[in-house]
């Protein structure tokens, strides 16, 4: 039977640490500031953006909201990013994705000053992670590392398998596990005999975007299973990429959905904002 990795509790702990750090900077006259840009009204984005703004308020981080119309031109968004890049009192710039189809996400992400890229999506920050330089780490994979470390799950020398190869989760996740001295495999939709690969994993991170795809046949007994997926099941309840009930007796530890990886993403975003302000202060 698996022990449950409580992402909500660990995220709360991190948020308390961030709140204390933000308070210390406030005592020195520095107000940690995050600019949050949303283009259009994608319903999921609205929920995420609301949560980000609310969490900022809870931790004493100032958030500047830019809610732009769906029809906003790419040039207009680029001009706003330029303005925020130049604004010395802005520590972080977050452009909520997805963007409307007429705007190039690649171009927008590349326009953000890497020193304010608290999402960790800029190619400079991706490159820094790959080469072991300091930069901003993408919040979801960074959150997964924190979950594992704070749950006492060893990574050094362990077999880790990441299922999924996105720029936002899979690839940086593999890099971060490598940095922890794990033996890392990335599996994806073209991987042959996926279950044979995932059954090697002491730590299995699943970010495939397929509802309840991972069943107990994919799990090595005692493995730690981290579920990055988020879906609705047939009765409209939240569920992940892992079939939680099926896997529960085989895994050694598991993250629930909701209450696993989800809360960690926002906690690490807040952490990155604090870190950006600290770097600004040191300059
Ligand atoms: N859309 C879904 N997840 C994210 C995220 O972590 N950051 C941004 N900017 N957009 C997202």
């Amino acid at each position: 039977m698996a022990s449950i990795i409580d992402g909500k509790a660990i995220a709360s702990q991190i948020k308390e640490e961030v709140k204390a750090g933000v308070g210390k900077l406030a005592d020195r006259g520095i107000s940690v500031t995050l600019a949050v840009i949303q283009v259009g009204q994608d319903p999921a984005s609205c929920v995420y953006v609301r949560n980000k703004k609310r969490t900022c308020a809870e931790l004493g981080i100032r958030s500047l909201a830019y809610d732009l119309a769906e029809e906003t031109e790419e040039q207009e968004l680029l001009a706003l990013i330029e303005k925020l890049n130049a604004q010395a009192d802005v520590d972080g710039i977050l452009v909520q994705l997805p963007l409307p189809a007429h705007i190039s996400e690649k171009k927008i992400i590349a326009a953000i000053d890497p020193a304010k890229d608290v999402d960790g999506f800029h190619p400079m920050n991706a490159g820094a992670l790959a080469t072991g330089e300091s930069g901003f780490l993408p919040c979801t994979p960074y959150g997964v590392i924190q979950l594992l470390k704070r749950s006492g799950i060893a990574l050094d020398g362990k077999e880790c398998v990441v299922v999924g190869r996105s720029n936002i989760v899979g690839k940086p996740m593999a890099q971060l596990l490598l940095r922890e001295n794990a033996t890392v495999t990335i599996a994806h939709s073209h991987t042959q005999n996926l279950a044979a690969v995932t059954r090697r994993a002491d730590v299995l991170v699943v970010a495939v975007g397929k509802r309840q795809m991972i069943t107990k046949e994919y799990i090595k007994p005692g493995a730690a299973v981290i579920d990055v997926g988020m879906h609705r099941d047939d009765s409209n309840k939240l569920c992940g990429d892992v079939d939680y009930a099926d896997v529960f007796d085989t895994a050694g530890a598991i993250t629930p959905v909701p209450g696993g990886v989800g809360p960690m993403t926002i906690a690490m975003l807040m952490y990155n904002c604090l870190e950006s302000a600290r770097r600004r202060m040191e300059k």
Side-chain angles (χ1 to χ4, degrees), residues 7-20:
K8 215 172 151 190
I10 295 172
S12 291
Q13 191 181 40
I14 291 170
K15 285 189 283 185
E16 282 308 312
E17 292 164 16
V18 171
K19 190 175 179 178

Side-chain angles (χ1 to χ4, degrees), residues 45 48 52 94-98 119 121 139-140 168 265:
S45 290
Y48 291 134
K52 288 170 188 177
L94 181 142
V95 180
Q96 186 65 27
L97 305 178
D119 258 330
F121 292 167
C139 304
T140 299
I168 290 179
T265 300

